[in-house]
Amino acid sequence: MQSLRSIAFLLLIASLASAQGSMPTDEKRPSENVSFTPDMLDKSIDPCTDFYAYACSKWKAQNPIPSDQAGWGRFNELQERGQYIMRDILDKYSADDSKRGPVEQKIGDYYQACMDESAIEKRGTKPLAADLAKIAALRSKQDLASELIALHRARTNVLFNFDSTQDFKDASEVIAEVDQGGMALPDKDYYLKEDAKSAELRTQYVAHVQKMFQLLGDTPTRAAAEAKVVMEIETSLAKGALDRVSRRDPQKIYHRMKREELATLAPVLNWKVYLDGIGAPSVGTLNVTEPEFFKHLNETLKTTSLDNWKTYLRWQLVHANAPILPEAFVNENFNFFAKTLAGTKELSPRWKRCVRFVNADLGEALGQKYVEVTFGAEGKERTLKMVDSLEKALDQDIEDVPWMGADTKKQAAAKLSAITNRIGYPDRWRDYSALKIIRGDARGNSQRSNVFEFQRRLNKIGQPVNKDDWPYPPTTVNASYNPLQNNITFPAAILQPPFYDNKADDAMNFGGIGAVIGHELTHGFDDQGRQFDAKGNLRDWWTAEDGKEFEQRASCVADEYSSFSAVDDVKVNGKLTLGENVADNGGMRIAYMALMSTMVEEEPPPVDGLSAKQRFFLGWANVWCQSQTDQLARMLAATNEHAPGRWRVNGTVSNMPEFREAYHCAANAPMVRQNACRVW
Ligand SMILES: [Zn+2]
């Protein structure tokens, strides 16, 4: 979602790859025993030659990608364990029991309806009938605005996106926003790139769209013509869309204007009907992320016939609902989006998909129960202690960096001390009481949840920013920094091994969760985060000279990562992944500083023959062990702001003289970079 655009995550899981996909595969509950042990190391590999292979090749060999996944890493192990915990909770509450509380009824009945495949089969496409009839009844392009309202309110991805956002330049205000959208493929490049692989994927995509129309009852000939129309429209939208690297620049996606100005950009659409009816409090001004997109959209609206628009809307409707329609839709959706696009072999078992849907639609309801069974008060306390030591290290680092002047340093230190920490779960849970969840009504539940969430987001417009509002549920294995609010978020699900292990020593934990905390804090000072001030306003607080010094150091990182291979002949995009790589670079350094501050008296004795300094780097490598299908690797290279695990490890350690010292590497070893990059 575009609302997450400004949040820098630790890791973007390719949810597309697994979320779409019921054949039970491996029902084995994953092991709880995930602590690091030295027998995981491949002693035949010199850590100074390829540290990632030294730390991860055995794990990779012992943990092949499960057939219902496109990638598998230590993150996924943790997620998988969480899925089983969530299933236990949902099983408990899915029985129709009058003793259930309101939250338990909602998550339990949502899960029950989702699991009831025979009811879903019996209903067929009936749950879509009313929506399809409305699309068929459109009489003119003037009617499009009111149909867009209905589809957008159900969070269907048609033409563009409407949402609320914190004003980039006034952190006290939440305003409305329109953003590019309406394409089903993962990125605009998929529509436009001219290489053979991209052309092949487009042919397969059109074949998929055709099959979906056939499942709706259209003849193969008609469905083929319709699929061509969809491809033409989406390609046209792609041509007007801004690329991902540009979208990382907040200046390029901030254009606050009056509603009348938006109407001038795209007069073919009836904006009065749309903006008055979408469900937002009055929209006088709004952020139009990319005016060029809306100008282009206007041309597309003009030149495309009403019948073709109907075809496109029908496609997006069925596409959005495919995962909760009968099996034939689920399988066809899986075949293209998970199998062809990401290389997943099999659909995951029904229960896993239903757990994900509950988590996506009722995340803070399920999250309350999840936190009760997994997260104690001591988890919050020990995390806060780590955060505190990392903040101290970053403060020291800012003071020490030789390239930054005193004035900018003062501002940077003020920004750092203003960062707020959100650990475990929100202080106030989201109130779902207005959302109706009904047993046996899978699609209705999904639809109502979407409308509920859309309205919840729109209700923020004109209200003060609510900093208790979390961007994702506590069941999420991830962490983030939000430059608009200058805060970090660490959900309960990530505060476990291999990130934080009660049984491990400080060195491993500082290399794991410590470096992750350092990574998030550094995001406040990466190429994107540094453009916002302590309050979250987009405002340049750097002297021109210091800004230049920063850019120079950042471009060292961009160039370095651009030289790494992602898959086949595809390279990592150093500009797309710049913020994350800067965060890894700085995060590891300050985590190392924080660890050293615990060892001022003396270094602890080696554990299993490994010194504390060596174990620190293993703590980092250990969380990034991962494998991906070639297809997924290709998709992530185009869409993910994070470099592959291998480079997050080797790229980071090879820039650190501390690594060379810990492993006694020769000056010309591959893990000792001659032109080492350092930002923070
Ligand atoms: Zn990050």
Side-chain angles (χ1 to χ4, degrees):
M1 286 308 298
Q2 80 274 23
S3 55
L4 299 182
R5 201 186 50 241
S6 48
I7 292 180
F9 278 95
L10 173 67
L11 172 102
L12 191 78
I13 304 267
S15 55
L16 182 75
S18 53
Q20 314 258 351
S22 146
M23 297 301 293
T25 49
D26 185 3
E27 285 281 336
K28 219 171 67 206
R29 205 168 177 115
S31 166
E32 298 288 324
N33 193 5
V34 289
S35 297
F36 170 82
T37 56
D39 60 10
M40 288 167 77
L41 300 174
D42 187 340
K43 301 266 174 57
S44 72
I45 295 169
D46 180 355
C48 298
T49 301
D50 186 341
F51 187 56
Y52 178 74
Y54 168 72
C56 290
S57 60
K58 274 175 98 174
W59 183 90
K60 282 170 57 129
Q62 287 161 10
N63 296 277
I65 302 171
S67 57
D68 67 337
Q69 306 280 334
W72 195 247
R74 306 219 67 198
F75 264 80
N76 306 83
E77 283 182 333
L78 192 47
Q79 274 181 326
E80 184 86 350
R81 289 210 309 279
Q83 286 227 311
Y84 279 82
I85 295 168
M86 290 187 263
R87 179 172 74 166
D88 290 346
I89 294 166
L90 294 169
D91 274 341
K92 185 172 160 192
Y93 297 120
S94 61
D96 194 0
D97 180 347
S98 61
K99 288 200 218 63
R100 293 180 302 174
V103 163
E104 295 156 358
Q105 178 272 326
K106 284 197 166 66
I107 58 174
D109 286 351
Y110 191 112
Y111 186 66
Q112 178 276 335
C114 181
M115 288 299 288
D116 190 351
E117 285 182 276
S118 70
I120 291 171
E121 288 302 320
K122 232 182 272 165
R123 288 188 178 190
T125 57
K126 258 187 238 147
L128 298 186
D131 291 324
L132 289 167
K134 271 178 59 199
I135 293 170
L138 295 175
R139 292 231 185 97
S140 75
K141 287 189 198 173
Q142 278 298 304
D143 293 347
L144 273 176
S146 62
E147 184 53 26
L148 283 179
I149 289 173
L151 290 165
H152 282 172
R153 284 186 60 77
R155 307 190 91 199
T156 314
N157 178 23
V158 283
L159 291 184
F160 61 89
N161 289 304
F162 187 89
D163 202 352
S164 62
T165 183
Q166 190 178 314
D167 189 321
F168 285 10
K169 294 194 174 169
D170 180 357
S172 69
E173 220 184 330
V174 181
I175 58 173
E177 175 177 273
V178 284
D179 190 14
Q180 69 185 36
M183 297 158 269
L185 288 172
D187 188 81
K188 65 172 284 192
D189 278 0
Y190 280 73
Y191 296 92
L192 305 176
K193 273 175 75 176
E194 283 171 359
D195 60 287
K197 192 86 209 156
S198 302
E200 186 194 349
L201 279 173
R202 282 195 289 273
T203 306
Q204 290 166 310
Y205 176 57
V206 171
H208 163 67
V209 177
Q210 176 185 343
K211 283 184 196 139
M212 293 295 275
F213 278 119
Q214 285 178 240
L215 289 174
L216 279 178
D218 299 351
T219 64
T221 316
R222 187 174 160 196
E226 290 169 327
K228 247 185 84 201
V229 166
V230 167
M231 193 58 175
E232 278 165 21
I233 292 178
E234 292 189 4
T235 304
S236 182
L237 295 174
K239 283 180 184 157
L242 196 63
D243 65 278
R244 275 178 200 270
V245 170
S246 301
R247 283 172 66 81
R248 290 195 66 251
D249 182 349
Q251 301 282 1
K252 289 192 178 151
I253 51 169
Y254 180 79
H255 306 91
R256 184 167 172 172
M257 57 179 74
K258 293 193 183 109
R259 59 189 281 170
E260 294 78 17
E261 291 171 84
L262 171 61
T264 314
L265 289 174
V268 175
L269 194 77
N270 191 332
W271 288 100
K272 182 168 170 32
V273 168
Y274 182 86
L275 292 173
D276 289 346
I278 190 67
S282 83
V283 178
T285 65
L286 74 174
N287 183 33
V288 178
T289 54
E290 296 137 40
E292 285 306 314
F293 176 81
F294 286 88
K295 279 191 212 161
H296 195 93
L297 174 68
N298 193 59
E299 289 311 303
T300 312
L301 278 163
K302 237 196 285 187
T303 53
T304 304
S305 71
L306 178 66
D307 276 348
N308 286 353
W309 281 120
K310 291 184 186 182
T311 298
Y312 167 76
L313 298 182
R314 232 170 128 231
W315 148 248
Q316 289 290 0
L317 178 73
V318 68
H319 170 60
N321 286 279
I324 42 148
L325 286 172
E327 200 182 8
F329 289 87
V330 173
N331 289 339
E332 179 50 37
N333 186 54
F334 168 83
N335 280 338
F336 180 74
F337 282 98
K339 201 178 216 168
T340 302
L341 220 47
T344 316
K345 291 196 178 72
E346 279 180 64
L347 191 61
S348 47
R350 179 101 198 158
W351 73 263
K352 281 193 193 174
R353 284 176 281 139
C354 290
V355 165
R356 281 197 289 265
F357 298 157
V358 181
N359 198 36
D361 280 344
L362 295 164
E364 285 198 17
L366 178 56
Q368 294 177 36
K369 296 290 161 185
Y370 172 88
V371 163
E372 278 171 23
V373 292
T374 61
F375 195 69
E378 92 289 349
K380 192 161 183 160
E381 219 160 279
R382 66 184 188 225
T383 310
L384 280 168
K385 231 174 107 187
M386 294 276 281
V387 173
D388 186 56
S389 75
L390 266 294
E391 282 174 350
K392 283 201 179 91
L394 181 51
D395 190 52
Q396 186 63 49
D397 181 64
I398 289 170
E399 205 178 308
D400 292 347
V401 285
W403 52 268
M404 200 185 218
D407 287 349
T408 316
K409 278 186 178 185
K410 214 170 127 192
Q411 301 252 14
K415 178 170 180 178
L416 172 63
S417 70
I419 292 179
T420 50
N421 309 310
R422 308 193 296 186
I423 312 291
Y425 53 92
D427 288 341
R428 266 195 339 214
W429 294 106
R430 211 165 273 179
D431 177 7
Y432 291 98
S433 51
L435 171 61
K436 210 172 196 176
I437 298 296
I438 300 169
R439 288 180 83 73
D441 186 13
R443 200 259 166 172
N445 291 338
S446 161
Q447 171 97 347
R448 284 185 295 273
S449 299
N450 282 331
V451 174
F452 175 84
E453 174 62 11
F454 185 79
Q455 190 61 54
R456 191 188 72 82
R457 303 178 70 89
L458 263 48
N459 290 345
K460 298 176 179 191
I461 297 169
Q463 300 295 316
V465 174
N466 173 9
K467 293 190 176 171
D468 283 339
D469 189 26
W470 282 38
Y472 45 78
T475 48
T476 312
V477 181
N478 218 327
S480 57
Y481 169 79
N482 182 354
L484 299 177
Q485 296 181 5
N486 198 26
N487 60 17
I488 57 174
T489 305
F490 276 76
I494 198 174
L495 301 171
Q496 302 175 55
F499 292 93
Y500 187 92
D501 191 346
N502 260 334
K503 287 178 272 182
D505 58 345
D506 273 355
M508 287 298 293
N509 283 329
F510 272 93
I513 198 76
V516 172
I517 295 166
H519 170 108
E520 299 310 338
L521 293 171
T522 306
H523 271 314
F525 306 91
D526 72 13
D527 62 312
Q528 191 177 59
R530 81 176 188 89
Q531 300 186 55
F532 293 84
D533 67 14
K535 290 193 171 128
N537 289 307
L538 184 58
R539 178 177 73 81
D540 192 0
W541 47 271
W542 294 61
T543 63
E545 210 173 300
D546 291 340
K548 228 192 253 157
E549 290 285 341
F550 176 92
E551 295 294 342
Q552 202 186 322
R553 280 159 180 79
S555 75
C556 174
V557 175
D559 291 344
E560 177 185 328
Y561 281 77
S562 288
S563 73
F564 296 149
S565 160
V567 59
D568 302 331
D569 58 336
V570 181
K571 292 272 204 264
V572 173
N573 183 338
K575 284 189 175 142
L576 180 63
T577 59
L578 179 57
E580 297 302 329
N581 300 328
V582 167
D584 283 348
N585 185 290
M588 273 293 274
R589 192 173 306 276
I590 62 170
Y592 187 84
M593 287 170 69
L595 174 65
M596 289 306 115
S597 73
T598 68
M599 302 191 329
V600 276
E601 306 276 297
E602 60 178 331
E603 199 173 320
V607 180
D608 304 315
L610 295 159
S611 72
K613 289 175 182 173
Q614 289 174 333
R615 293 167 64 78
F616 168 79
F617 290 101
L618 286 171
W620 176 246
N622 188 41
V623 301
W624 296 114
C625 299
Q626 60 180 224
S627 306
Q628 284 160 355
T629 62
D630 286 355
Q631 294 93 324
L632 179 64
R634 191 173 279 274
M635 182 162 91
L636 295 181
T639 58
N640 195 338
E641 295 189 356
H642 304 79
R646 179 176 173 206
W647 301 120
R648 295 191 74 166
V649 174
N650 286 355
T652 307
V653 303
S654 67
N655 283 316
M656 293 180 74
E658 296 86 348
F659 174 80
R660 182 187 165 188
E661 185 209 317
Y663 282 92
H664 314 292
C665 300
N668 61 351
M671 291 293 103
V672 179
R673 185 163 291 278
Q674 299 314 311
N675 301 309
C677 303
R678 174 175 177 182
V679 183
W680 294 106

